[in-house]
Amino acid sequence: MKLTSLIIAGTMLAAVLSSCTSDQTIRSEKGRLADEVRQEFLHSWNAYKKYAWGHDGLKPLSKTYYDWYSAPLYMSLVDALDTMILMGLKEEADSVREFVATHLSFDRDIYVKNFEITIRLLGGLLSSYQLTGDERLLKLADDLGTRLLPVFNSPTGMPYVDVNLKTGAVRNSRTNPGEIGTLLVEFGTLSKLTGKPVYYNVAKNAVLQVYNRRSSIGLVGTWIDAETGKWLDSDSHVSACIDSYYEYMVKCALLFDDQDFKRMWDSSRAALDKYVADEAPSGLWYGHADMNTGKRTRTWFGALDAFFPAVLALSGDVETAARLQESCLKMWNKYGIEPEQFDYRKMDVPGDPKWERFFLNPEIMESAYYLYQFTQDPRYLHMGKTFLDGLKQHCRAEAGYAELKSVITKEKTDRMESYFLAETLKYLYLLFAPPETLEFNKVVFNTEAHPIRRTW
Ligand code: DMJ
C-alpha cells in the first residue's frame, strides 16, 4: 500500500474511532445532561416564582410578570406542572397542584383564545390529572371544556377564535387550520374521561370541516372564515397557523384509534410531498406552495416548522424525518440558535429583521426527542446538547430565559412564554432522562407537550 493510501486509511479510522468515542461519551453523559436541564428548569421556575408568581408569565429582563387577560389564568403554573412531575420535583409539584386546584377559576368575564387555552390549560390539566389522579384537576378541565364549547356554534361548525368564559359570547371568525384542527386531543380526551361525547364530536367535526374544504390538489390555505367557510388566502405550508392541523391527524389516529384521521393524514401527506416538500442543494425542506395550483411561492422554513420531523417519525416514516431533522440542524447552526423564518435556498434569514426573532420554541428539541426514541441513535443526543448549549449561551438571563429580538445580534427581549417550561425544557429533559421517566409508547403528547395516556 502506498504511503498516501495508508495516511488516508489511518485518518478515516481515526475519524470513525473518535466518533465512536464521542457517541460513547454522550451516552455516558446522559444522566449529567438530564440533571443540567433540570437545573435550568429550576433556574427559570425559581425566577417565575420570585417575580411572577400567580401570573401568566415571567418577564425575565425587567423581572416582573405579564398576564394575558385582565384576570390571570395561571398559564405558567398549569403548563409547567407535569414537567415538574416528570422531573421528580415532587414537593414543588404538589404545592403547585394544590394552588391550582384551590385558586384556579374559569368563572371570569374575559374573552380568551380558544386554541391557546385548550392546548395549554385544558391539555395541562388533563395530563396532570392522569399523572396524579387528583380529581379536582379533571373537574376544572370539565368546567373549562363546557365554557369553551360555544366556540363551535358557528354556521360551519368551525370554531370562533375567542370566547367569553362567563357569558359564552363568541367573536372573531377569521381563523386557520391550526387553530381549528388542534383541539381534538384535548376535547377527545375530555370526552373519554368524563363520558360526555359532545366534546369529541364537535372537535372532530371542526377538523372535518377544514379537511372537506381542501383544494382539488389536497392542500389547505392559511386563513379561513369560520362563518362563511371561505378561504381567505391560498398559502399552503407546514408552518404556523397550519402546522398542528397535520400533527393532530397522526396523533388522533393513534390516541383514539379513529381511522378517519389515518385516511386524512395519508391523503394530506401525499399532497404535501408532491407540492410542499422541496429537495434543495442543502437537503430536504418543506416550503410554501399555492393551495390551488401547487406552484412554489416561497422557499421558507422556520423554527415552528421543526415539529414536522417528529410527526413524520410518529407516522412511521423515520427516514424522511431524519433527513428533515438534518436540515433543521443546519438552520440552527447558521447562527447557533434558530430564527423564526429561514430561506433554505439562500441559507439565511429572509430580508425583514422581524424573521430574525427566536421565541424559545421547543419544536426542534421535540423532533430530536422523537427521533432518539425511534432510533436510539446518539446523533440526537449530540443535537440535544447543541440545542441546550445554544439556549444557555444566548437566552439565559439572570431571571430565567429570554426570547431573542435577533438571532444575529443575540439581543434579548423581555418575555418567557409558558411553553418554555411545558415543552422546551421537558423535551430536552426527556431526551436525556432514563426511559422509565415516561413510557414513550404509552402516551400521545398534545401540541403543548402534555402527555396523554390512553386509559380507555
Ligand atoms: C406552542 O404553544 C405549541 O407547540 C404550539 O403548537 C405552537 N407554538 C408554541 C411553541 O412554539
Side-chain angles (χ1 to χ4, degrees):
M1 200 186 268
K2 283 189 184 153
L3 182 61
T4 43
S5 309
L6 268 175
I7 293 171
I8 291 169
T11 316
M12 282 167 66
L13 184 63
V16 169
L17 285 176
S18 117
S19 104
C20 289
T21 317
S22 94
D23 287 351
Q24 276 166 12
T25 313
I26 194 100
R27 278 204 177 99
S28 68
E29 280 186 343
K30 277 176 70 187
R32 187 192 62 72
L33 286 163
D35 198 49
E36 191 176 326
V37 178
R38 205 163 171 261
Q39 290 312 320
E40 293 315 299
F41 177 87
L42 283 171
H43 168 74
S44 312
W45 177 250
N46 288 332
Y48 167 79
K49 270 174 76 175
K50 186 162 179 192
Y51 301 112
W53 175 261
H55 293 279
D56 286 338
L58 169 71
K59 291 176 125 183
L61 304 184
S62 55
K63 299 182 179 169
T64 181
Y65 60 82
Y66 65 84
D67 286 312
W68 283 39
Y69 308 108
S70 54
L73 292 173
Y74 309 143
M75 213 79 83
S76 289
L77 292 149
V78 178
D79 234 359
L81 178 53
D82 59 11
T83 306
M84 283 174 222
I85 296 170
L86 294 172
M87 287 182 173
L89 301 167
K90 188 162 176 352
E91 267 178 39
E92 198 63 33
D94 283 349
S95 79
V96 169
R97 176 162 55 90
E98 198 52 39
F99 182 87
V100 167
T102 50
H103 289 75
L104 182 54
S105 163
F106 296 118
D107 191 23
R108 309 271 188 205
D109 190 4
I110 48 175
Y111 278 88
V112 301
K113 274 188 145 299
N114 172 54
F115 164 74
E116 296 290 354
I117 295 302
T118 298
I119 65 170
R120 299 186 198 215
L121 296 186
L122 194 51
L125 289 168
L126 290 169
S127 75
S128 288
Y129 160 67
Q130 287 193 317
L131 286 165
T132 62
D134 187 332
E135 294 285 339
R136 295 173 299 176
L137 303 183
L138 180 59
K139 214 165 155 240
L140 276 167
D142 194 13
D143 178 49
L144 177 58
T146 308
R147 290 171 190 276
L148 295 176
L149 275 179
V151 290
F152 297 100
N153 296 336
S154 73
T156 65
M158 291 189 279
Y160 288 95
V161 173
D162 307 301
V163 58
N164 185 301
L165 287 177
K166 199 180 192 75
T167 65
V170 291
R171 67 182 189 199
N172 198 359
S173 63
R174 185 179 189 268
T175 183
N176 56 65
E179 298 200 7
I180 300 166
T182 316
L183 306 168
L184 186 55
V185 167
E186 300 80 1
F187 277 78
T189 299
L190 195 53
S191 265
K192 301 291 180 189
L193 297 178
T194 61
K196 299 178 184 171
V198 60
Y199 296 126
Y200 191 96
N201 295 341
V202 289
K204 178 174 175 180
N205 176 57
V207 187
L208 288 172
Q209 292 299 327
V210 180
Y211 181 73
N212 292 340
R213 287 173 171 80
R214 70 195 182 284
S215 69
S216 59
I217 59 169
L219 295 175
V220 295
T222 307
W223 294 101
I224 191 166
D225 190 313
E227 283 181 345
T228 63
K230 297 267 179 274
W231 289 105
L232 303 174
D233 86 331
S234 62
D235 186 19
S236 202
H237 47 80
V238 297
S239 195
C241 299
I242 300 182
D243 46 12
S244 41
Y245 162 71
Y246 294 122
E247 176 183 339
Y248 272 28
M249 287 180 187
V250 174
K251 292 184 169 177
C252 289
L254 288 170
L255 185 60
F256 304 119
D257 198 17
D258 187 330
Q259 294 311 304
D260 289 346
F261 288 99
K262 168 95 176 70
R263 282 188 286 277
M264 283 190 246
W265 165 252
D266 287 342
S267 78
S268 301
R269 169 85 201 271
L272 285 173
D273 279 0
K274 190 160 176 193
Y275 301 106
V276 178
D278 199 356
E279 292 284 354
S282 53
L284 170 68
W285 302 85
Y286 282 74
H288 290 237
D290 184 277
M291 70 179 273
N292 298 309
T293 64
K295 196 170 164 285
R296 171 83 47 219
T297 48
R298 268 181 187 163
T299 54
W300 291 15
F301 188 88
L304 283 159
D305 311 40
F307 81 105
F308 206 52
V311 171
L312 291 172
L314 191 63
S315 77
D317 187 356
V318 175
E319 200 185 315
T320 310
R323 289 191 61 216
L324 186 59
Q325 181 71 356
E326 292 301 327
S327 301
C328 295
L329 181 65
K330 286 177 191 151
M331 172 173 73
W332 181 281
N333 281 341
K334 172 79 188 189
Y335 292 107
I337 198 102
E338 61 187 351
E340 189 178 356
Q341 291 294 344
F342 189 69
D343 186 328
Y344 54 79
R345 292 275 168 182
K346 292 192 195 137
M347 289 305 278
D348 211 338
V349 180
D352 191 329
K354 81 174 183 198
W355 302 123
E356 295 168 16
R357 297 173 301 186
F358 172 64
F359 298 112
L360 297 171
N361 307 91
E363 288 77 6
I364 200 167
M365 294 85 176
E366 174 183 2
S367 287
Y369 166 63
Y370 274 72
L371 276 160
Y372 185 65
Q373 293 302 315
F374 283 112
T375 64
Q376 296 295 302
D377 187 338
R379 171 130 191 92
Y380 301 110
L381 299 176
H382 288 293
M383 281 190 198
K385 185 170 179 332
T386 299
F387 304 147
L388 175 61
D389 290 346
L391 281 173
K392 282 177 77 171
Q393 188 181 348
H394 304 303
C395 304
R396 199 178 203 272
E398 201 177 271
Y401 272 73
E403 298 175 357
L404 298 182
K405 182 176 178 198
S406 164
V407 295
I408 302 172
T409 64
K410 311 289 192 294
E411 185 186 339
K412 293 188 175 82
T413 47
D414 199 12
R415 197 163 169 108
M416 186 179 88
E417 274 290 340
S418 65
Y419 59 69
F420 181 67
L421 303 169
E423 293 194 75
T424 312
L425 294 176
K426 183 189 285 145
Y427 283 128
L428 274 176
Y429 179 75
L430 290 175
L431 173 62
F432 300 124
E436 59 273 18
T437 308
L438 182 72
E439 283 178 290
F440 178 72
N441 297 331
K442 298 262 167 69
V443 298
V444 168
F445 290 91
N446 88 334
T447 196
E448 188 81 359
H450 297 303
I452 301 294
R453 195 174 293 266
R454 192 181 157 168
T455 53
W456 42 88

Short mmCIF file of all heavy atoms in Angstrom, two decimals, residues 79 115-116 119-120 182 240 243-244 247-248 303-304 307 359-363 366 417-420 423-424 427 446-449, ligand 1:
data_model
loop_
_atom_site.label_atom_id
_atom_site.label_comp_id
_atom_site.label_asym_id
_atom_site.label_seq_id
_atom_site.Cartn_x
_atom_site.Cartn_y
_atom_site.Cartn_z
N ASP A 79 -49.11 24.99 32.86
CA ASP A 79 -48.28 24.47 31.77
C ASP A 79 -47.04 23.73 32.32
O ASP A 79 -46.60 22.74 31.75
CB ASP A 79 -47.83 25.63 30.86
CG ASP A 79 -48.18 25.40 29.40
OD1 ASP A 79 -48.76 24.34 29.09
OD2 ASP A 79 -47.88 26.27 28.56
N PHE A 115 -57.93 28.35 21.18
CA PHE A 115 -56.82 27.44 20.85
C PHE A 115 -55.75 27.42 21.94
O PHE A 115 -55.36 26.36 22.43
CB PHE A 115 -56.22 27.87 19.50
CG PHE A 115 -54.86 27.29 19.21
CD1 PHE A 115 -54.70 25.95 18.87
CD2 PHE A 115 -53.72 28.09 19.28
CE1 PHE A 115 -53.44 25.42 18.61
CE2 PHE A 115 -52.46 27.57 19.02
CZ PHE A 115 -52.32 26.23 18.68
N GLU A 116 -55.30 28.59 22.34
CA GLU A 116 -54.20 28.66 23.33
C GLU A 116 -54.64 28.09 24.68
O GLU A 116 -53.88 27.41 25.36
CB GLU A 116 -53.72 30.11 23.51
CG GLU A 116 -53.09 30.72 22.26
CD GLU A 116 -51.73 30.12 21.91
OE1 GLU A 116 -51.19 29.31 22.68
OE2 GLU A 116 -51.20 30.46 20.83
N ILE A 119 -54.82 24.19 24.36
CA ILE A 119 -53.57 23.40 24.35
C ILE A 119 -52.78 23.57 25.65
O ILE A 119 -52.16 22.62 26.11
CB ILE A 119 -52.69 23.70 23.11
CG1 ILE A 119 -52.15 25.14 23.10
CG2 ILE A 119 -53.45 23.40 21.84
CD1 ILE A 119 -51.09 25.39 22.03
N ARG A 120 -52.83 24.77 26.24
CA ARG A 120 -52.02 24.98 27.45
C ARG A 120 -52.76 24.55 28.71
O ARG A 120 -52.23 23.81 29.52
CB ARG A 120 -51.62 26.46 27.57
CG ARG A 120 -50.77 26.93 26.39
CD ARG A 120 -50.26 28.34 26.60
NE ARG A 120 -49.84 28.92 25.32
CZ ARG A 120 -48.83 29.75 25.17
NH1 ARG A 120 -48.11 30.12 26.19
NH2 ARG A 120 -48.52 30.24 23.98
N THR A 182 -56.52 21.71 16.03
CA THR A 182 -55.65 21.30 17.15
C THR A 182 -56.42 21.36 18.46
O THR A 182 -56.01 22.02 19.41
CB THR A 182 -54.40 22.22 17.20
OG1 THR A 182 -53.92 22.38 15.88
CG2 THR A 182 -53.29 21.61 18.04
N ALA A 240 -46.54 27.96 10.97
CA ALA A 240 -47.54 28.49 11.90
C ALA A 240 -48.89 28.68 11.21
O ALA A 240 -48.96 29.09 10.06
CB ALA A 240 -47.07 29.83 12.45
N ASP A 243 -49.54 24.08 10.87
CA ASP A 243 -48.70 23.03 11.47
C ASP A 243 -49.44 21.91 12.21
O ASP A 243 -49.50 20.76 11.77
CB ASP A 243 -47.61 23.66 12.37
CG ASP A 243 -48.14 24.77 13.31
OD1 ASP A 243 -49.36 24.90 13.45
OD2 ASP A 243 -47.31 25.47 13.92
N SER A 244 -50.03 22.22 13.34
CA SER A 244 -50.57 21.15 14.19
C SER A 244 -51.89 20.57 13.69
O SER A 244 -52.38 19.57 14.23
CB SER A 244 -50.67 21.61 15.64
OG SER A 244 -51.14 22.93 15.70
N GLU A 247 -50.36 17.58 12.61
CA GLU A 247 -49.88 16.85 13.79
C GLU A 247 -51.02 16.06 14.46
O GLU A 247 -50.86 14.90 14.81
CB GLU A 247 -49.30 17.88 14.78
CG GLU A 247 -48.83 17.32 16.10
CD GLU A 247 -48.35 18.45 17.03
OE1 GLU A 247 -48.01 19.56 16.55
OE2 GLU A 247 -48.31 18.22 18.25
N TYR A 248 -52.19 16.71 14.59
CA TYR A 248 -53.30 16.05 15.29
C TYR A 248 -53.96 14.96 14.46
O TYR A 248 -54.65 14.10 15.01
CB TYR A 248 -54.31 17.09 15.79
CG TYR A 248 -53.95 17.62 17.18
CD1 TYR A 248 -52.62 17.65 17.61
CD2 TYR A 248 -54.92 18.07 18.07
CE1 TYR A 248 -52.28 18.13 18.87
CE2 TYR A 248 -54.59 18.55 19.34
CZ TYR A 248 -53.27 18.57 19.73
OH TYR A 248 -52.92 19.04 20.99
N ALA A 303 -38.55 28.03 12.68
CA ALA A 303 -38.44 27.35 13.97
C ALA A 303 -39.68 26.50 14.27
O ALA A 303 -39.57 25.38 14.77
CB ALA A 303 -38.24 28.38 15.08
N LEU A 304 -40.87 27.03 13.97
CA LEU A 304 -42.10 26.29 14.27
C LEU A 304 -42.24 25.04 13.39
O LEU A 304 -42.79 24.03 13.80
CB LEU A 304 -43.32 27.19 14.11
CG LEU A 304 -43.55 28.16 15.26
CD1 LEU A 304 -44.41 29.33 14.82
CD2 LEU A 304 -44.19 27.47 16.44
N PHE A 307 -41.33 21.03 14.00
CA PHE A 307 -42.12 19.96 14.63
C PHE A 307 -42.31 18.81 13.65
O PHE A 307 -42.66 17.70 14.03
CB PHE A 307 -43.53 20.48 15.03
CG PHE A 307 -44.48 20.50 13.85
CD1 PHE A 307 -45.48 19.55 13.71
CD2 PHE A 307 -44.35 21.45 12.85
CE1 PHE A 307 -46.33 19.55 12.60
CE2 PHE A 307 -45.20 21.46 11.74
CZ PHE A 307 -46.19 20.51 11.63
N PHE A 359 -38.31 32.66 19.76
CA PHE A 359 -39.26 32.72 20.87
C PHE A 359 -39.10 31.56 21.87
O PHE A 359 -40.09 31.14 22.47
CB PHE A 359 -40.69 32.72 20.32
CG PHE A 359 -41.01 33.91 19.44
CD1 PHE A 359 -41.22 33.76 18.08
CD2 PHE A 359 -41.09 35.18 19.98
CE1 PHE A 359 -41.53 34.85 17.28
CE2 PHE A 359 -41.39 36.29 19.19
CZ PHE A 359 -41.60 36.12 17.83
N LEU A 360 -37.90 31.06 22.01
CA LEU A 360 -37.65 29.93 22.94
C LEU A 360 -38.46 28.69 22.55
O LEU A 360 -38.94 27.93 23.41
CB LEU A 360 -37.98 30.32 24.40
CG LEU A 360 -37.16 31.45 25.02
CD1 LEU A 360 -37.76 31.88 26.38
CD2 LEU A 360 -35.70 31.05 25.22
N ASN A 361 -38.62 28.50 21.25
CA ASN A 361 -39.51 27.44 20.77
C ASN A 361 -38.95 26.03 21.01
O ASN A 361 -37.76 25.82 20.99
CB ASN A 361 -39.76 27.60 19.27
CG ASN A 361 -40.25 28.97 18.92
OD1 ASN A 361 -39.45 29.84 18.64
ND2 ASN A 361 -41.55 29.18 19.00
N PRO A 362 -39.87 25.08 21.18
CA PRO A 362 -39.46 23.70 21.51
C PRO A 362 -39.34 22.74 20.33
O PRO A 362 -38.83 21.63 20.49
CB PRO A 362 -40.64 23.24 22.37
CG PRO A 362 -41.82 23.93 21.76
CD PRO A 362 -41.32 25.27 21.31
N GLU A 363 -39.83 23.10 19.16
CA GLU A 363 -40.08 22.08 18.14
C GLU A 363 -38.84 21.29 17.72
O GLU A 363 -38.89 20.08 17.51
CB GLU A 363 -40.73 22.72 16.90
CG GLU A 363 -42.18 23.13 17.10
CD GLU A 363 -42.38 24.43 17.89
OE1 GLU A 363 -41.38 25.11 18.20
OE2 GLU A 363 -43.55 24.76 18.21
N GLU A 366 -38.15 18.77 20.33
CA GLU A 366 -39.20 17.76 20.27
C GLU A 366 -38.86 16.72 19.20
O GLU A 366 -38.93 15.51 19.45
CB GLU A 366 -40.51 18.49 19.92
CG GLU A 366 -41.72 17.63 19.66
CD GLU A 366 -42.92 18.51 19.24
OE1 GLU A 366 -42.78 19.76 19.12
OE2 GLU A 366 -44.00 17.95 19.04
N GLU A 417 -42.26 32.64 27.53
CA GLU A 417 -43.58 32.02 27.36
C GLU A 417 -43.70 30.75 28.21
O GLU A 417 -42.70 30.04 28.42
CB GLU A 417 -43.80 31.65 25.90
CG GLU A 417 -44.34 32.77 25.04
CD GLU A 417 -45.79 33.12 25.37
OE1 GLU A 417 -46.49 32.28 25.96
OE2 GLU A 417 -46.20 34.24 25.05
N SER A 418 -44.92 30.42 28.59
CA SER A 418 -45.11 29.24 29.45
C SER A 418 -44.68 27.95 28.75
O SER A 418 -44.30 26.99 29.40
CB SER A 418 -46.57 29.13 29.90
OG SER A 418 -47.43 28.91 28.80
N TYR A 419 -44.72 27.92 27.40
CA TYR A 419 -44.32 26.68 26.73
C TYR A 419 -42.83 26.39 26.88
O TYR A 419 -42.39 25.28 26.62
CB TYR A 419 -44.75 26.66 25.26
CG TYR A 419 -44.20 27.77 24.40
CD1 TYR A 419 -42.86 27.86 24.05
CD2 TYR A 419 -45.05 28.75 23.90
CE1 TYR A 419 -42.37 28.87 23.25
CE2 TYR A 419 -44.58 29.77 23.10
CZ TYR A 419 -43.24 29.82 22.78
OH TYR A 419 -42.76 30.85 21.99
N PHE A 420 -42.05 27.39 27.28
CA PHE A 420 -40.63 27.10 27.54
C PHE A 420 -40.51 26.10 28.70
O PHE A 420 -39.67 25.21 28.68
CB PHE A 420 -39.88 28.41 27.87
CG PHE A 420 -38.42 28.20 28.14
CD1 PHE A 420 -37.56 27.79 27.12
CD2 PHE A 420 -37.89 28.41 29.40
CE1 PHE A 420 -36.21 27.58 27.36
CE2 PHE A 420 -36.54 28.21 29.65
CZ PHE A 420 -35.69 27.80 28.63
N GLU A 423 -42.73 22.73 27.37
CA GLU A 423 -42.27 21.96 26.22
C GLU A 423 -40.76 21.93 26.05
O GLU A 423 -40.15 20.87 26.02
CB GLU A 423 -42.85 22.56 24.93
CG GLU A 423 -44.32 22.44 24.78
CD GLU A 423 -44.72 22.75 23.35
OE1 GLU A 423 -44.50 21.91 22.48
OE2 GLU A 423 -45.24 23.86 23.09
N THR A 424 -40.16 23.12 25.89
CA THR A 424 -38.75 23.19 25.51
C THR A 424 -37.89 22.41 26.51
O THR A 424 -37.11 21.53 26.12
CB THR A 424 -38.29 24.67 25.44
OG1 THR A 424 -39.27 25.38 24.66
CG2 THR A 424 -36.93 24.80 24.79
N TYR A 427 -38.95 18.46 26.71
CA TYR A 427 -38.42 17.58 25.65
C TYR A 427 -36.91 17.38 25.81
O TYR A 427 -36.40 16.28 25.59
CB TYR A 427 -38.76 18.14 24.26
CG TYR A 427 -40.19 17.90 23.85
CD1 TYR A 427 -41.00 18.95 23.42
CD2 TYR A 427 -40.75 16.62 23.90
CE1 TYR A 427 -42.33 18.73 23.04
CE2 TYR A 427 -42.07 16.39 23.52
CZ TYR A 427 -42.85 17.45 23.09
OH TYR A 427 -44.15 17.22 22.71
N ASN A 446 -49.91 16.16 23.61
CA ASN A 446 -50.64 17.19 22.88
C ASN A 446 -49.61 18.18 22.31
O ASN A 446 -48.40 18.02 22.53
CB ASN A 446 -51.72 17.86 23.76
CG ASN A 446 -51.20 19.05 24.57
OD1 ASN A 446 -50.01 19.13 24.88
ND2 ASN A 446 -52.08 19.96 24.93
N THR A 447 -50.06 19.17 21.59
CA THR A 447 -49.10 20.02 20.89
C THR A 447 -48.32 20.93 21.85
O THR A 447 -47.38 21.61 21.46
CB THR A 447 -49.79 20.85 19.78
OG1 THR A 447 -48.79 21.37 18.90
CG2 THR A 447 -50.63 21.99 20.37
N GLU A 448 -48.70 20.93 23.12
CA GLU A 448 -48.01 21.72 24.14
C GLU A 448 -47.19 20.78 25.04
O GLU A 448 -46.84 21.12 26.17
CB GLU A 448 -49.06 22.51 24.96
CG GLU A 448 -48.51 23.53 25.93
CD GLU A 448 -48.12 24.87 25.32
OE1 GLU A 448 -48.24 25.06 24.10
OE2 GLU A 448 -47.68 25.74 26.10
N ALA A 449 -46.92 19.57 24.54
CA ALA A 449 -46.07 18.58 25.24
C ALA A 449 -46.70 18.02 26.51
O ALA A 449 -45.97 17.54 27.39
CB ALA A 449 -44.68 19.13 25.54
C1 DMJ B 1 -46.65 26.07 21.49
O1 DMJ B 1 -47.63 26.77 22.17
C2 DMJ B 1 -47.22 24.88 20.79
O2 DMJ B 1 -46.21 23.97 20.50
C3 DMJ B 1 -47.93 25.25 19.52
O3 DMJ B 1 -48.37 24.11 18.81
C4 DMJ B 1 -47.02 26.04 18.63
N1 DMJ B 1 -46.45 27.18 19.30
C5 DMJ B 1 -45.88 27.01 20.62
C6 DMJ B 1 -44.43 26.71 20.68
O4 DMJ B 1 -43.63 27.20 19.69
#
